[in-house]
Amino acid sequence: MPELPEMEAWRRQLDEPVRAFPIAKAGPAHVATLKTFDPPLSALEGRRFEGARRRAKRLYFPTDDGELVLLVHLMTAGRLKYLRAGEKGPKAPAFRLEFEGGAQLVLTEAGSKKRAGVWLLTPEQAEAELAHLGPDALGLGADALGEICAREPRRLHSLLRDQRVIAGIGRAWANEILHHARLSPYALARDLNPEQVERLAQSIDVELERGLELRERGANDKRTYRVHDKLHEPCYVCGTPIARVDFEEHTIYYCPECQTGGRVLKDRRLSRLLR
Ligand SMILES: [Zn+2]
């Protein structure tokens, strides 16, 4: 699933083009993709977006009259693309929006399962829809992270991925961040000392910024990740082969030398006990 760096790179790419022209036609949308029916999509027509915004892993597009917000959640396989006038696009996208002059914004989704969603909301509804999300991971800082860790008995990998606590990090960037911070994915948040909290806060920013920069240059997963999905490849710090362990529904990648003092993590599936 695209996470904060990927979504932020897309947001920056879309910010200018989406406000260049008023909307000529909104829709059609796949029945499983469009999550709202009132206001209807046609309410967008004739209005102009104020730009592209991001909250956690979601993108949203407020209209410049302050009346409506188009919210998009791409989930795992959704992709949002801006097509210039005359540029060829997919035949049957999950959602299509046409601007005056012929440019288009299209949402496609690989595979047969339709999980990505589009919502047309009032600003109040959009706020309510996003209210459950924690503070954005990028720029969170050691003070806020310290407060979060102090009240959380959970393991770091699971904590970092919980959008209600910290928004924007998923399993791939949790792997990258914890490796950079030299912390075990199984370490309990509450047990971190101030120096470790500081290091984790720095690693969140350093790694998300690194990802954002690479994604803005169009780097693929293979080039972007250094730990995630790199089983048996040498750790970029110490050369030890990257290891893997299953935890909850996720697969964690880590360096046993840099992160767990040489210990190999066992699949303990403690999530139920820790809730
Ligand atoms: Zn290492």
Side-chain angles (χ1 to χ4, degrees), residues 182-222:
R182 305 191 311 277
L183 290 169
S184 167
Y186 279 6
L188 297 174
R190 219 162 42 187
D191 291 348
L192 295 193
N193 64 38
E195 189 268 328
Q196 289 171 319
V197 170
E198 178 77 36
R199 217 161 67 210
L200 181 56
Q202 274 179 18
S203 294
I204 291 173
D205 284 345
V206 167
E207 280 299 298
L208 294 179
E209 292 280 9
R210 182 179 71 81
L212 175 54
E213 195 184 304
L214 283 165
R215 295 303 197 183
E216 280 201 274
R217 286 193 270 134
N220 59 15
D221 289 356
K222 202 170 153 48

Short mmCIF file of all heavy atoms in Angstrom, two decimals, residues 182-222:
data_model
loop_
_atom_site.label_atom_id
_atom_site.label_comp_id
_atom_site.label_asym_id
_atom_site.label_seq_id
_atom_site.Cartn_x
_atom_site.Cartn_y
_atom_site.Cartn_z
N ARG A 182 17.73 1.61 14.70
CA ARG A 182 18.38 0.49 15.39
C ARG A 182 17.54 0.00 16.57
O ARG A 182 18.04 -0.25 17.66
CB ARG A 182 19.79 0.90 15.87
CG ARG A 182 20.68 1.43 14.75
CD ARG A 182 22.14 1.59 15.16
NE ARG A 182 22.34 2.29 16.41
CZ ARG A 182 22.35 3.62 16.55
NH1 ARG A 182 22.13 4.40 15.51
NH2 ARG A 182 22.58 4.15 17.72
N LEU A 183 16.23 -0.11 16.32
CA LEU A 183 15.32 -0.58 17.37
C LEU A 183 14.62 -1.86 16.91
O LEU A 183 14.29 -2.00 15.74
CB LEU A 183 14.26 0.49 17.67
CG LEU A 183 14.78 1.75 18.39
CD1 LEU A 183 13.70 2.83 18.38
CD2 LEU A 183 15.20 1.40 19.82
N SER A 184 14.39 -2.75 17.86
CA SER A 184 13.70 -4.00 17.55
C SER A 184 12.23 -3.72 17.24
O SER A 184 11.57 -2.97 17.95
CB SER A 184 13.79 -4.96 18.73
OG SER A 184 12.87 -6.02 18.54
N PRO A 185 11.70 -4.36 16.20
CA PRO A 185 10.27 -4.21 15.90
C PRO A 185 9.41 -4.70 17.04
O PRO A 185 8.26 -4.30 17.19
CB PRO A 185 10.05 -5.08 14.66
CG PRO A 185 11.39 -5.53 14.20
CD PRO A 185 12.39 -5.25 15.26
N TYR A 186 9.96 -5.58 17.88
CA TYR A 186 9.21 -6.13 19.02
C TYR A 186 9.38 -5.33 20.30
O TYR A 186 8.77 -5.63 21.31
CB TYR A 186 9.66 -7.57 19.30
CG TYR A 186 9.04 -8.62 18.41
CD1 TYR A 186 8.21 -8.28 17.34
CD2 TYR A 186 9.27 -9.97 18.64
CE1 TYR A 186 7.65 -9.25 16.53
CE2 TYR A 186 8.70 -10.96 17.84
CZ TYR A 186 7.90 -10.59 16.77
OH TYR A 186 7.34 -11.56 15.99
N ALA A 187 10.24 -4.31 20.29
CA ALA A 187 10.42 -3.51 21.51
C ALA A 187 9.10 -2.88 21.92
O ALA A 187 8.31 -2.47 21.08
CB ALA A 187 11.48 -2.43 21.27
N LEU A 188 8.87 -2.79 23.22
CA LEU A 188 7.63 -2.18 23.70
C LEU A 188 7.82 -0.66 23.77
O LEU A 188 8.79 -0.18 24.33
CB LEU A 188 7.28 -2.72 25.09
CG LEU A 188 7.00 -4.22 25.13
CD1 LEU A 188 6.81 -4.68 26.58
CD2 LEU A 188 5.78 -4.58 24.30
N ALA A 189 6.86 0.06 23.20
CA ALA A 189 6.96 1.52 23.11
C ALA A 189 7.23 2.14 24.48
O ALA A 189 8.04 3.05 24.61
CB ALA A 189 5.70 2.10 22.50
N ARG A 190 6.53 1.62 25.49
CA ARG A 190 6.64 2.21 26.83
C ARG A 190 8.03 2.05 27.44
O ARG A 190 8.39 2.77 28.34
CB ARG A 190 5.58 1.57 27.74
CG ARG A 190 4.96 2.55 28.67
CD ARG A 190 3.65 2.06 29.24
NE ARG A 190 3.68 0.65 29.63
CZ ARG A 190 2.58 -0.01 30.03
NH1 ARG A 190 1.42 0.60 30.05
NH2 ARG A 190 2.65 -1.28 30.36
N ASP A 191 8.79 1.06 26.96
CA ASP A 191 10.11 0.79 27.52
C ASP A 191 11.23 1.64 26.93
O ASP A 191 12.37 1.56 27.37
CB ASP A 191 10.49 -0.69 27.31
CG ASP A 191 9.61 -1.61 28.16
OD1 ASP A 191 8.90 -1.08 29.04
OD2 ASP A 191 9.63 -2.83 27.92
N LEU A 192 10.92 2.44 25.90
CA LEU A 192 11.99 3.23 25.26
C LEU A 192 12.50 4.31 26.23
O LEU A 192 11.71 4.96 26.90
CB LEU A 192 11.48 3.92 23.99
CG LEU A 192 11.04 3.06 22.81
CD1 LEU A 192 10.89 3.94 21.57
CD2 LEU A 192 12.01 1.92 22.53
N ASN A 193 13.82 4.48 26.26
CA ASN A 193 14.36 5.60 27.05
C ASN A 193 14.36 6.86 26.17
O ASN A 193 14.16 6.78 24.96
CB ASN A 193 15.74 5.23 27.62
CG ASN A 193 16.77 5.01 26.51
OD1 ASN A 193 16.75 5.71 25.50
ND2 ASN A 193 17.64 4.04 26.68
N PRO A 194 14.56 8.02 26.80
CA PRO A 194 14.47 9.29 26.03
C PRO A 194 15.41 9.33 24.82
O PRO A 194 15.05 9.88 23.78
CB PRO A 194 14.87 10.35 27.06
CG PRO A 194 14.53 9.74 28.38
CD PRO A 194 14.77 8.27 28.24
N GLU A 195 16.58 8.74 24.96
CA GLU A 195 17.53 8.75 23.84
C GLU A 195 16.97 7.93 22.68
O GLU A 195 17.10 8.30 21.50
CB GLU A 195 18.89 8.20 24.33
CG GLU A 195 20.02 8.34 23.34
CD GLU A 195 20.19 7.11 22.45
OE1 GLU A 195 19.90 5.98 22.92
OE2 GLU A 195 20.59 7.27 21.28
N GLN A 196 16.33 6.82 22.99
CA GLN A 196 15.74 5.98 21.94
C GLN A 196 14.53 6.65 21.29
O GLN A 196 14.33 6.53 20.08
CB GLN A 196 15.34 4.62 22.53
CG GLN A 196 16.54 3.76 22.89
CD GLN A 196 16.14 2.52 23.68
OE1 GLN A 196 15.28 2.58 24.57
NE2 GLN A 196 16.75 1.39 23.36
N VAL A 197 13.75 7.35 22.09
CA VAL A 197 12.60 8.09 21.55
C VAL A 197 13.10 9.16 20.57
O VAL A 197 12.58 9.31 19.46
CB VAL A 197 11.76 8.74 22.68
CG1 VAL A 197 10.73 9.70 22.10
CG2 VAL A 197 11.08 7.67 23.52
N GLU A 198 14.13 9.86 20.99
CA GLU A 198 14.73 10.90 20.15
C GLU A 198 15.21 10.31 18.83
O GLU A 198 14.98 10.86 17.75
CB GLU A 198 15.92 11.51 20.93
CG GLU A 198 16.70 12.58 20.19
CD GLU A 198 15.98 13.93 20.18
OE1 GLU A 198 15.32 14.26 21.20
OE2 GLU A 198 16.07 14.60 19.16
N ARG A 199 15.87 9.17 18.91
CA ARG A 199 16.41 8.50 17.72
C ARG A 199 15.27 8.04 16.80
O ARG A 199 15.33 8.20 15.58
CB ARG A 199 17.22 7.28 18.16
CG ARG A 199 18.45 7.04 17.33
CD ARG A 199 19.42 6.16 18.07
NE ARG A 199 18.92 4.80 18.25
CZ ARG A 199 19.23 4.01 19.28
NH1 ARG A 199 20.02 4.45 20.23
NH2 ARG A 199 18.75 2.79 19.35
N LEU A 200 14.23 7.51 17.40
CA LEU A 200 13.09 7.05 16.59
C LEU A 200 12.40 8.23 15.90
O LEU A 200 12.06 8.16 14.72
CB LEU A 200 12.09 6.29 17.48
CG LEU A 200 10.85 5.71 16.79
CD1 LEU A 200 11.24 4.79 15.63
CD2 LEU A 200 9.97 4.96 17.79
N ALA A 201 12.25 9.34 16.62
CA ALA A 201 11.62 10.53 16.03
C ALA A 201 12.46 11.02 14.84
O ALA A 201 11.92 11.38 13.79
CB ALA A 201 11.48 11.63 17.07
N GLN A 202 13.77 11.01 15.01
CA GLN A 202 14.64 11.44 13.91
C GLN A 202 14.55 10.49 12.73
O GLN A 202 14.49 10.91 11.57
CB GLN A 202 16.09 11.49 14.39
CG GLN A 202 16.45 12.81 15.03
CD GLN A 202 17.89 12.83 15.52
OE1 GLN A 202 18.71 12.01 15.11
NE2 GLN A 202 18.19 13.76 16.41
N SER A 203 14.54 9.19 13.03
CA SER A 203 14.48 8.20 11.95
C SER A 203 13.17 8.29 11.16
O SER A 203 13.16 8.06 9.96
CB SER A 203 14.65 6.79 12.51
OG SER A 203 15.94 6.64 13.06
N ILE A 204 12.08 8.61 11.85
CA ILE A 204 10.80 8.78 11.15
C ILE A 204 10.96 9.86 10.08
O ILE A 204 10.64 9.66 8.91
CB ILE A 204 9.66 9.13 12.14
CG1 ILE A 204 9.32 7.92 13.03
CG2 ILE A 204 8.42 9.61 11.39
CD1 ILE A 204 8.32 8.22 14.14
N ASP A 205 11.50 11.02 10.47
CA ASP A 205 11.66 12.12 9.52
C ASP A 205 12.69 11.80 8.44
O ASP A 205 12.44 12.03 7.25
CB ASP A 205 12.06 13.40 10.26
CG ASP A 205 10.88 14.03 10.99
OD1 ASP A 205 9.73 13.64 10.68
OD2 ASP A 205 11.10 14.89 11.85
N VAL A 206 13.82 11.27 8.85
CA VAL A 206 14.90 11.00 7.88
C VAL A 206 14.43 10.00 6.83
O VAL A 206 14.62 10.21 5.62
CB VAL A 206 16.16 10.45 8.61
CG1 VAL A 206 17.16 9.87 7.61
CG2 VAL A 206 16.82 11.55 9.44
N GLU A 207 13.78 8.93 7.27
CA GLU A 207 13.38 7.90 6.32
C GLU A 207 12.20 8.34 5.45
O GLU A 207 12.17 8.08 4.26
CB GLU A 207 13.05 6.60 7.07
CG GLU A 207 14.29 5.81 7.46
CD GLU A 207 15.10 5.39 6.23
OE1 GLU A 207 14.58 4.65 5.39
OE2 GLU A 207 16.26 5.83 6.11
N LEU A 208 11.23 9.03 6.05
CA LEU A 208 10.09 9.49 5.24
C LEU A 208 10.54 10.54 4.22
O LEU A 208 10.09 10.55 3.07
CB LEU A 208 8.96 10.03 6.12
CG LEU A 208 8.27 8.99 7.02
CD1 LEU A 208 7.18 9.66 7.86
CD2 LEU A 208 7.68 7.83 6.22
N GLU A 209 11.47 11.40 4.62
CA GLU A 209 12.02 12.40 3.69
C GLU A 209 12.80 11.73 2.56
O GLU A 209 12.72 12.13 1.40
CB GLU A 209 12.94 13.39 4.41
CG GLU A 209 12.25 14.33 5.39
CD GLU A 209 11.58 15.52 4.71
OE1 GLU A 209 11.51 15.53 3.47
OE2 GLU A 209 11.12 16.42 5.44
N ARG A 210 13.57 10.71 2.94
CA ARG A 210 14.34 9.97 1.93
C ARG A 210 13.38 9.32 0.92
O ARG A 210 13.58 9.40 -0.29
CB ARG A 210 15.19 8.90 2.60
CG ARG A 210 16.07 8.09 1.66
CD ARG A 210 16.90 7.05 2.40
NE ARG A 210 16.12 5.93 2.90
CZ ARG A 210 15.74 4.89 2.15
NH1 ARG A 210 16.08 4.82 0.89
NH2 ARG A 210 15.02 3.93 2.67
N GLY A 211 12.31 8.72 1.45
CA GLY A 211 11.33 8.08 0.58
C GLY A 211 10.64 9.08 -0.33
O GLY A 211 10.48 8.85 -1.53
N LEU A 212 10.27 10.21 0.25
CA LEU A 212 9.58 11.25 -0.52
C LEU A 212 10.46 11.74 -1.67
O LEU A 212 10.02 11.87 -2.81
CB LEU A 212 9.20 12.39 0.41
CG LEU A 212 8.57 13.63 -0.18
CD1 LEU A 212 7.35 13.28 -1.02
CD2 LEU A 212 8.19 14.61 0.92
N GLU A 213 11.73 11.99 -1.36
CA GLU A 213 12.65 12.48 -2.38
C GLU A 213 12.79 11.46 -3.52
O GLU A 213 12.75 11.81 -4.70
CB GLU A 213 14.01 12.74 -1.73
CG GLU A 213 14.94 13.59 -2.56
CD GLU A 213 16.29 13.71 -1.88
OE1 GLU A 213 16.32 14.16 -0.71
OE2 GLU A 213 17.29 13.35 -2.51
N LEU A 214 12.94 10.18 -3.15
CA LEU A 214 13.07 9.14 -4.18
C LEU A 214 11.79 9.00 -5.00
O LEU A 214 11.83 8.89 -6.23
CB LEU A 214 13.40 7.80 -3.52
CG LEU A 214 14.85 7.64 -3.05
CD1 LEU A 214 14.98 6.46 -2.10
CD2 LEU A 214 15.77 7.44 -4.26
N ARG A 215 10.65 9.01 -4.32
CA ARG A 215 9.38 8.85 -5.04
C ARG A 215 9.12 10.03 -5.97
O ARG A 215 8.55 9.86 -7.04
CB ARG A 215 8.23 8.70 -4.06
CG ARG A 215 8.29 7.45 -3.20
CD ARG A 215 8.35 6.18 -4.03
NE ARG A 215 8.02 5.01 -3.22
CZ ARG A 215 8.04 3.76 -3.66
NH1 ARG A 215 8.41 3.50 -4.91
NH2 ARG A 215 7.72 2.75 -2.87
N GLU A 216 9.54 11.23 -5.55
CA GLU A 216 9.36 12.39 -6.42
C GLU A 216 10.18 12.25 -7.69
O GLU A 216 9.84 12.81 -8.73
CB GLU A 216 9.74 13.69 -5.69
CG GLU A 216 8.64 14.18 -4.78
CD GLU A 216 8.78 15.66 -4.46
OE1 GLU A 216 9.50 15.99 -3.52
OE2 GLU A 216 8.17 16.49 -5.17
N ARG A 217 11.28 11.50 -7.60
CA ARG A 217 12.09 11.27 -8.78
C ARG A 217 11.64 10.02 -9.53
O ARG A 217 12.31 9.58 -10.47
CB ARG A 217 13.57 11.14 -8.39
CG ARG A 217 14.18 12.48 -8.04
CD ARG A 217 15.68 12.40 -7.95
NE ARG A 217 16.13 12.06 -6.61
CZ ARG A 217 17.05 11.14 -6.34
NH1 ARG A 217 17.61 10.44 -7.31
NH2 ARG A 217 17.42 10.92 -5.10
N GLY A 218 10.56 9.41 -9.06
CA GLY A 218 9.99 8.27 -9.77
C GLY A 218 10.62 6.92 -9.44
O GLY A 218 10.46 5.95 -10.18
N ALA A 219 11.36 6.84 -8.33
CA ALA A 219 12.02 5.58 -7.96
C ALA A 219 11.00 4.49 -7.66
O ALA A 219 9.96 4.75 -7.05
CB ALA A 219 12.92 5.80 -6.76
N ASN A 220 11.31 3.26 -8.06
CA ASN A 220 10.40 2.14 -7.78
C ASN A 220 10.69 1.56 -6.38
O ASN A 220 11.60 2.01 -5.69
CB ASN A 220 10.54 1.06 -8.86
CG ASN A 220 11.96 0.51 -8.95
OD1 ASN A 220 12.78 0.72 -8.05
ND2 ASN A 220 12.25 -0.19 -10.03
N ASP A 221 9.90 0.53 -5.99
CA ASP A 221 10.05 -0.05 -4.65
C ASP A 221 11.45 -0.60 -4.43
O ASP A 221 12.04 -0.41 -3.38
CB ASP A 221 9.05 -1.21 -4.47
CG ASP A 221 7.62 -0.70 -4.35
OD1 ASP A 221 7.42 0.53 -4.33
OD2 ASP A 221 6.71 -1.54 -4.28
N LYS A 222 11.96 -1.28 -5.44
CA LYS A 222 13.27 -1.94 -5.32
C LYS A 222 14.37 -0.94 -4.98
O LYS A 222 15.26 -1.21 -4.18
CB LYS A 222 13.56 -2.65 -6.64
CG LYS A 222 14.57 -3.77 -6.56
CD LYS A 222 14.59 -4.54 -7.89
CE LYS A 222 15.91 -5.21 -8.17
NZ LYS A 222 16.50 -5.99 -7.10
#
